[in-house]
Amino acid sequence: MATGELIPKEDIPKYKLARASEDHVMELRHKLRSALRLGNEFKAKAIITFQTVEGPKRVETTVWTLTEDALQIKNGVVLPLGSLLDIDY
């Protein structure tokens, strides 16, 4: 599991997102779908680790929607899938 500073989800817009050094989207696709289902059906949270210019960050939040390119969490915050390092629940 990737490590990173745990930040409040409300702080994500304060950071400049960056592409992960390795593309983890294919290996995380199943976890992303599971996190989406957990969020929508059970209101359960996931821990999402993503890359920023300042280094890896983590948030604990509910995944609301998932597209081919991004995931959306509360308050319309969007994380590009290319910035993801890990997801856990």
Side-chain angles (χ1 to χ4, degrees):
M1 180 173 149
T3 60
E5 176 188 3
L6 184 62
I7 63 169
K9 63 184 169 288
E10 296 81 12
D11 286 357
I12 293 173
K14 297 178 184 176
Y15 294 94
K16 182 172 172 59
L17 301 177
R19 288 196 72 74
S21 58
E22 295 180 34
D23 187 349
H24 299 279
V25 176
M26 292 306 290
E27 65 193 62
L28 294 178
R29 190 66 66 181
H30 176 73
K31 283 182 157 183
L32 287 164
R33 284 193 293 271
S34 295
L36 176 65
R37 183 170 182 238
L38 285 170
N40 287 326
E41 293 182 27
F42 304 103
K43 307 302 181 223
K45 295 182 179 185
I47 299 171
I48 302 166
T49 308
F50 58 96
Q51 186 65 45
T52 71
V53 171
E54 296 86 353
K57 305 293 179 200
R58 291 181 303 134
V59 293
E60 186 173 358
T61 188
T62 303
V63 176
W64 289 91
T65 59
L66 177 64
T67 68
E68 286 295 312
D69 302 318
L71 63 87
Q72 182 179 8
I73 62 173
K74 199 170 189 171
N75 298 329
V77 174
V78 174
L79 289 170
L81 297 185
S83 71
L84 295 184
L85 297 170
D86 196 12
I87 187 162
D88 205 5
Y89 33 83

